[in-house]
Amino acid sequence: QGQARMVIAATANIRETLPHKVAELALDKVLTAANPHIIGVQEWGTSRNPALKRLAHKHGMQWTRVSGAGPIMWADHLRLVKARPVTLARASRMGWLPGRRTHLPASVAALAILTNEYGHETSVLNVHLTAEVQYGAGYRTDKAHRARVRRHKREVKAIARIARNQRRKGREVYVVGDTNYASLVIPGLTSCWQGRPDVGTLGSRAVDHVYATSPANKVRTIATPSDHHAVAATY
């Protein structure tokens, strides 16, 4: 029989415009400070894969990535069963907004199934949801943002459905990523920020989340050269 162990799940948005060396130092800082068992990284393009390989070796971790989504890393005591891309929302036109693309590609998340030495399986979903959809404590209601809001709501429903299906298979579930929405509720899951003050991961807004099937025991943020703070939640 396997014994329950502490799990540290983390998320880190490492801004895509950072120089490669700075990005590598940023992720290295997160891995050193958090020492996570699982972590999802966003805005980490394939050109940074050599840095990811170096960091995984340095920190005793493994990693995978699927087309269209950010990589997932995990500690050596876990083993990858399979990984695949999952589409949260199809490609669509968003309309015109200053400084934003009028057409967005499909919203794709990475789903990795991991197993420990006792055969207990864990599902990790790494997400990066549609931006510029929130105003105050709720969704934007103006016409210009309507398509973005619809897309974001589809993404949330898809995440809830995927998590529900994974739980039905008897797996632990962690959803990590940049939701672009502070205090976002995903049905069936608990945000690491629930019951805690939003300390802010992008400015004053806590848009970076770790979701699980139970509340986090401890949450910390880690400042890096990126515009987002990384988040590490202990369970």
Side-chain angles (χ1 to χ4, degrees):
Q1 295 291 324
Q3 298 297 313
R5 70 162 78 208
M6 177 183 71
V7 174
I8 301 174
T11 181
N13 183 318
I14 308 297
R15 192 171 184 168
E16 62 185 354
T17 55
L18 290 176
H20 281 14
K21 187 60 179 178
V22 178
E24 184 171 352
L25 291 171
L27 185 54
D28 185 34
K29 181 180 180 182
V30 175
L31 297 175
T32 300
N35 193 25
H37 300 102
I38 52 178
I39 181 171
V41 188
Q42 303 87 47
E43 297 198 30
W44 192 275
T46 56
S47 63
R48 292 177 177 175
N49 280 355
L52 199 64
K53 184 176 180 180
R54 288 191 295 270
L55 291 172
H57 177 75
K58 176 180 179 179
H59 292 274
M61 303 185 78
Q62 303 296 320
W63 64 277
T64 189
R65 71 181 311 154
V66 298
S67 179
I72 295 172
M73 306 177 74
W74 61 90
D76 262 345
H77 73 273
L78 299 170
R79 179 177 60 84
L80 180 66
V81 177
K82 58 184 175 182
R84 62 182 177 90
V86 290
T87 300
L88 305 180
R90 65 182 182 277
S92 55
R93 293 188 62 81
M94 294 291 103
W96 183 85
L97 283 173
R100 295 288 185 181
R101 288 184 290 176
T102 60
H103 184 275
L104 292 179
S107 174
V108 179
L111 176 64
I113 312 301
L114 307 172
T115 185
N116 66 10
E117 62 268 38
Y118 304 111
H120 297 163
E121 291 188 341
T122 297
S123 297
V124 183
L125 190 68
N126 183 19
V127 306
H128 192 178
L129 307 189
T130 305
E132 201 169 323
V133 299
Q134 188 177 22
Y135 182 78
Y139 279 109
R140 293 178 179 271
T141 58
D142 61 289
K143 184 177 180 180
H145 290 86
R146 194 170 296 162
R148 287 179 173 272
V149 168
R150 283 198 302 265
R151 177 181 163 103
H152 194 276
K153 289 180 177 179
R154 284 196 295 269
E155 291 169 324
V156 172
K157 287 181 179 179
I159 293 169
R161 182 179 66 254
I162 293 164
R164 185 167 60 250
N165 290 340
Q166 293 300 309
R167 291 188 68 185
R168 286 173 179 166
K169 296 177 181 180
R171 296 167 178 155
E172 290 294 323
V173 176
Y174 295 95
V175 177
V176 298
D178 175 6
T179 69
N180 275 301
Y181 197 106
S183 303
L184 179 67
V185 174
I186 298 180
L189 296 172
T190 302
S191 169
C192 64
W193 297 113
Q194 183 167 309
R196 292 181 169 87
D198 289 354
V199 298
T201 63
L202 179 62
S204 62
R205 303 168 62 231
V207 300
D208 300 89
H209 293 253
V210 176
Y211 293 89
T213 54
S214 59
N217 298 100
K218 178 183 177 182
V219 182
R220 65 176 298 190
T221 60
I222 302 157
T224 75
S226 181
D227 52 342
H228 288 249
H229 284 36
V231 177
T234 302
Y235 296 88

